Amino acid sequence: MKIDLLLTDCHAATLSEGEGGYGVIEDAAVAAAEGRIVWIGPRADLPTVSARRTERLDGRWITPGLIDCHTHLIFGGDRAAEFEQRLGGATYEAIARAGGGILSSVRATRAASEAELFASAMERLEGLKATGVTTVEIKSGYGLDRDSELKMLRVARRIGREGGVRVRTTYLGLHATPPEHRANPEAYVDEAVEDILPAACAEGLVDAVDAYCEPIAFSPDQVSRLFDKARGLGLPVKLHADQLSDSGGAALAARYGALSADHIEYATQAGVAAMAQAGVVAVLLPGAFLMLRETRIPPIDALRRHGVRMAVATDCNPGTSPLASMTAAMNLACVQFRLTPQESLAAATREAAHALGLGADLGRLEVGLRADLAAWDIQNPAELAYWLGKPVLHARWLDGVRS
């Protein structure tokens, strides 16, 4: 068998479905050809191969490349001053209602050029790549007008071409009401639904559609208008749901068969049951929980009881989660939300792939899946959620190519 890449002298955590635990293969070998895994198993069982490149990993662990399935990676400026305000006692809602929060990032993003947005996002991306990330979801939502939203999505596509990661783009048109529409939010909903989304779709810039469903943002009825439009365009949907209040977001996501419902700190038992029935992935965002000093954790026990898939992501953004490390997100999910290390690794690989609609192609080490891989300087997989700040990545491969 002729192959492009052979990795030997390693231990593999396959994260395969139904195996339980990490899906460990001790003293493993992994072979890849044409960007996909063509063989994986114990090295003693490796068939005769002719490899263009062979790499011995000297006993390191190999996992699927990590997947950050919820980011706002592209934005202008920062919101460090708001961080200071929150430490001084101001609430997120109060800052937002005073014209700060998302709208301050909108002003900076509108003022930035595509080149400037690309350069700053690439700096943040380096943090994710250094923690084993090979796939990143990137949302718009800091433009909130046609030109600026398309600008963000074009930058996201460029990152996918030049950034050394796989990128999925998400149109987050209903993120906040822009200042020019403050007196008439419905006019902005019309624009987001009937103008911006079709234009972005026509340019091939959108892989999924998202919205922020909260009293300080958009109502279920407004979100439904956007989701109906997305459905008509053949696009899957995701939802910022039940982060700050019980707004019925989990149930709304379930009604539309969403890929994921994200945050869900205030999701009800009924909402969780609806998510389970519809196959909606729960995306947990412990960085925002930490930065906002929240106290109500997502309903983890209910998610487990109903068999809802749980993913973990950084929610990298300038205001509520300036987090650019997937391994730190995994640690926080364990410490704050009481996930096990095995759950957190599955949440950053297999389950995150499902949250992006990529579960058939990514997130596990199995024959036929893409050879997006990460090798680690660790003694066991639990260390990926254990170390906080210690660099443990040895190498990444995207489609079997080291990057």
Side-chain angles (χ1 to χ4, degrees), residues 31 69 84 91 114 124 131 137 150 153 190 204 254 284 307 327 343:
C69 64
E84 289 186 302
T91 67
E114 286 192 24
R124 291 183 282 274
T131 54
E137 184 257 17
L150 296 184
L153 291 166
D190 290 342
L284 309 177
T327 50
E343 285 176 324

Side-chain angles (χ1 to χ4, degrees), residues 70-72 137-141 152 170 172 210 238 240 262:
H70 181 130
T71 84
H72 305 254
E137 184 257 17
I138 302 176
K139 302 179 190 295
S140 68
M152 292 185 69
T170 299
L172 178 57
D210 196 353
K238 306 164 67 67
H240 285 63
D262 302 28

Side-chain angles (χ1 to χ4, degrees), residues 79 81-102 216 244 291-294 319-320:
R79 279 152 57 190
E82 292 179 12
F83 173 60
E84 289 186 302
Q85 286 180 282
R86 290 200 306 274
L87 291 177
T91 67
Y92 177 69
E93 293 92 334
I95 292 170
R97 293 189 188 281
I102 292 168
I216 64 169
L244 305 173
M291 293 298 292
L292 292 175
R293 294 189 288 185
E294 296 290 346
T320 61

